[in-house]
Amino acid sequence: MATETMLRFVERQQAYPAKREAEIRAEDFREIADRYAVEGAEEQAARCSQCGVPYCSVHCPLHNHIPDWLRLTAEGRLREAYELSNATSSMPEICGRICPQDRLCEGNCVIEFSGHGAVTIGSVEKFITDTAWDKGWVEPLVPGRPTGQSVGIIGAGPAGLTAAEQLRAAGHDVHVYDRYDRAGGLLTYGIPGFKLEKPVVERRVARLEAGGILFHRGFAVGRDASLAELRARHDGILIATGVYKARAIDVDGHDRAGVVAALDYLTASNRKGFGDAVPAFDDGSLDAAGKDVVVIGGGDTAMDCVRTAVRQGAKSVKCLYRRDRANMPGSVREVANAEEEGVEFVWLTAPAAFEGDAAVTNVRAHGMRLGAPDASGRRAPERDPGGEHEHSADLVIKALGFDAEDLPRLFAAPELGVTRWGTVLVDAKTMMTSLDGVFAAGDIVRGASLVVWAIRDGRDVAAAMHRYLRAKAATGERKAA
Ligand SMILES: Cc1cc2nc3c(=O)[nH]c(=O)nc-3n(C[C@H](O)[C@H](O)[C@H](O)COP(=O)(O)OP(=O)(O)OC[C@H]3O[C@@H](n4cnc5c(N)ncnc54)[C@H](O)[C@@H]3O)c2cc1C
Ligand code: SF4
């Protein structure tokens, strides 16, 4: 039965859901791709070769049962496909939208290796769970039998939200503290709507809230409570605060007016999408409309900045990156989307100075070339003495990546162990930090990473915390929040 339906990769071409025309999609912040029609999803799922050892699943951080839910989709058993997909992932429709599939599941599909083009796993995954939401198959979060124990989670990003769901389902009282006024972390304020529309995140948060998880929004740990105060309130604590310290760029004029940090820029744009008043956008400082925009960097954040600038109506948008196309960290697919939308990539280029009088008007840059591979195996960029050039710029956006904030200082907890990069140290087995009952997960442990890894960590840390809380309950120790 399965072989009759499946293995259609020779006769059926790979087909992603159609993208809207570049000029049209650049006018708004809606997602750029349509959803599959039912037949389209079934046809694409049926291309799967049902490998004995599915490399797609091996390379998915959640080890999703991909071939199985592809087969169920191909057979029209969508509800079962959803239930299986949901069993290993807390946000399948979000991963289906924003995982860099070309580096994870799809990049390791054997059909891709055979030259037929990978099964479009992410798009099918998105289709399955969006359908489940539409049809009312997504069950409410049902709290487990009350344990009388309480957990405090610092950070409402994907790591914190995932752990909150699992711990609530295990019967604990769950409090989530976040310094922002909306939950979701970078899903809400970092990643733009053209990759992930906000209602997709909001309905997940609403489900958690309806399941009895208590959100304390606008609550910054370090300002509104110290870590010690939260530890006194709860039986277990999870630090899932992500990484937010923008990497500096040490060139002349780095602090000139018009030179801004990527996350300030993206947050302002996302807030405008929610209809918030954002003074720094409204006065033009964080608005690219009518400007020559230069973005520095080559990762996902830089790609989101260039494409946001296009949508804001920039006069021109350039991305300066010190390596070449083949050696950039951002997704190949995102570069292609940006190019279609009119972004110019200036490869092998690094800024030398941000020039201007009161505000920036020009970026002076020098050429780079790739030298010998460094310790990570990537060819290290070095200055090419020949190649100075200039780029007009009224807005320069620095997207050089993020490091951890100084949490021991911020949380008034000098005894919290951190690495030399400032990320929080955890025991690999228990995911506990140097402080008893305080756990950590997501970007604050890994450094800037991916949503799917934050979800994986959230699930793992919830299991570890549950074990810890059960052991604690056995000794009769507990606190009421
Ligand atoms: C612009 C951008 C685009 C990205 N695009 C993608 C993509 O396409 N695909 C992908 O897989 N990944 C992407 N990523 C990476 C991904 O967003 C992160 O890896 C992921 O969100 C990390 O999840 P987290 O829960 O660890 O942290 P976060 O999502 O950062 O959430 C942390 C939360 O903690 C809160 N917090 C921090 N400090 C405190 C405090 N002191 N008190 C209270 N609350 C606090 C913050 O307000 C935030 O809500 C992108 C990242 C950026 C910046
Ligand atoms: S979670 Fe990400 S890597 Fe895993 S199957 Fe879905 S899109 Fe692929």
Side-chain angles (χ1 to χ4, degrees):
M1 160 76 167
T3 42
E4 281 164 29
T5 316
M6 307 303 288
L7 295 150
R8 302 296 179 149
F9 57 91
V10 177
E11 77 224 43
R12 274 182 211 155
Q13 294 278 308
Q14 179 196 57
Y16 285 95
K19 285 194 276 184
R20 293 187 288 137
E21 287 296 320
E23 299 87 65
I24 298 191
R25 69 186 196 234
E27 298 279 308
D28 61 47
F29 283 84
R30 287 178 35 231
E31 286 173 12
I32 67 167
D34 294 329
R35 199 200 298 177
Y36 280 132
V38 178
E39 309 74 52
E42 289 176 359
E43 279 178 12
Q44 289 301 309
R47 296 181 68 248
C48 172
S49 71
Q50 301 284 284
C51 310
V53 179
Y55 292 111
C56 55
S57 182
V58 171
H59 289 270
C60 163
L62 293 164
H63 302 312
N64 283 338
H65 303 310
I66 302 166
D68 297 330
W69 48 251
L70 287 172
R71 181 175 48 77
L72 289 166
T73 304
E75 292 172 358
R77 295 158 66 187
L78 275 185
R79 185 161 190 167
E80 290 162 85
Y82 157 68
E83 274 157 14
L84 194 60
S85 157
N86 186 56
T88 52
S89 177
S90 309
M91 307 179 185
E93 75 286 21
I94 293 180
C95 293
R97 283 170 164 84
I98 60 168
C99 271
Q101 286 101 9
D102 47 355
R103 284 187 265 146
L104 300 173
C105 52
E106 293 178 22
N108 289 282
C109 171
V110 290
I111 299 176
E112 175 78 16
F113 299 146
S114 74
H116 290 92
V119 179
T120 54
I121 298 167
S123 305
V124 175
E125 185 181 31
K126 166 184 159 189
F127 165 81
I128 295 170
T129 306
D130 279 349
T131 306
W133 278 102
D134 292 350
K135 302 240 180 225
W137 301 336
V138 177
E139 305 274 356
L141 167 60
V142 180
R145 198 154 55 84
T147 61
Q149 288 171 302
S150 134
V151 175
I153 296 179
I154 313 170
L161 293 179
T162 300
E165 176 179 3
Q166 304 279 320
L167 289 164
R168 185 71 187 134
H172 304 295
D173 289 340
V174 179
H175 293 250
V176 179
Y177 301 90
D178 202 292
R179 61 186 171 193
Y180 283 147
D181 52 349
R182 292 183 179 89
L186 291 171
L187 302 177
T188 296
Y189 284 131
I191 299 172
F194 52 80
K195 278 167 54 181
L196 175 63
E197 285 174 7
K198 303 305 160 185
V200 174
V201 182
E202 289 172 306
R203 68 187 175 190
R204 281 271 162 211
V205 174
R207 177 176 169 275
L208 300 184
E209 217 154 9
I213 293 170
L214 292 160
F215 284 87
H216 303 263
R217 295 179 172 88
F219 189 112
V221 178
R223 181 193 66 195
D224 299 313
S226 65
L227 185 60
E229 283 164 334
L230 285 193
R231 288 179 80 195
R233 237 182 253 182
H234 299 288
D235 297 286
I237 294 286
L238 172 62
I239 301 175
T241 48
V243 288
Y244 283 86
K245 194 170 82 184
R247 274 189 204 137
I249 179 165
D250 188 19
V251 302
D252 276 357
H254 65 89
D255 52 359
R256 200 178 287 290
V259 180
V260 305
L263 207 52
D264 292 345
Y265 174 70
L266 292 172
T267 305
S269 175
N270 277 314
R271 281 195 176 283
K272 288 311 287 180
F274 282 110
D276 296 353
V278 183
F281 182 93
D282 299 333
D283 72 10
S285 324
L286 294 176
D287 184 0
K291 294 182 180 166
D292 289 316
V293 177
V294 171
V295 175
I296 314 288
D300 283 333
T301 305
M303 296 310 106
D304 289 350
C305 289
V306 289
R307 298 181 66 205
T308 296
V310 167
R311 282 160 177 76
Q312 289 177 346
K315 193 158 102 196
S316 71
V317 184
K318 287 182 185 171
C319 181
L320 267 50
Y321 182 54
R322 61 198 179 127
R323 292 184 164 95
D324 61 5
R325 185 189 288 267
N327 287 284
M328 72 179 299
S331 151
V332 176
R333 197 174 55 186
E334 291 303 299
V335 177
N337 286 333
E339 284 182 323
E340 284 166 19
E341 291 164 11
V343 174
E344 183 188 337
F345 285 84
V346 189
W347 306 111
L348 292 168
T349 300
F354 304 129
E355 298 171 332
D357 295 327
V360 68
T361 52
N362 187 54
V363 175
R364 187 153 51 77
H366 48 69
M368 305 290 289
R369 63 187 177 198
L370 293 178
D374 62 16
S376 71
R378 286 170 83 201
R379 290 177 67 195
E382 57 189 31
R383 191 164 168 180
D384 177 353
E388 285 236 337
H389 39 105
E390 311 228 337
H391 305 271
S392 302
D394 315 308
L395 179 63
V396 173
I397 303 172
K398 299 175 286 185
L400 283 306
F402 303 94
D403 289 317
E405 291 161 283
D406 183 354
L407 285 197
R409 190 186 53 76
L410 189 70
F411 285 1
E415 63 287 13
L416 179 69
V418 293
T419 65
R420 66 192 162 107
W421 299 279
T423 47
V424 173
L425 266 172
V426 292
D427 179 287
K429 259 200 196 136
T430 63
M431 297 180 84
M432 201 174 345
T433 67
S434 54
L435 302 176
D436 182 52
V438 179
F439 297 76
D443 278 6
I444 192 57
V445 175
R446 290 181 180 274
S449 178
L450 294 173
V451 169
V452 65
W453 279 114
I455 294 172
R456 168 70 196 268
D457 288 352
R459 293 172 76 93
D460 288 350
V461 82
M465 290 177 79
H466 184 56
R467 279 195 296 276
Y468 168 86
L469 291 167
R470 278 221 315 232
K472 195 167 169 177
T475 65
E477 221 191 303
R478 77 184 38 169
K479 290 167 192 149

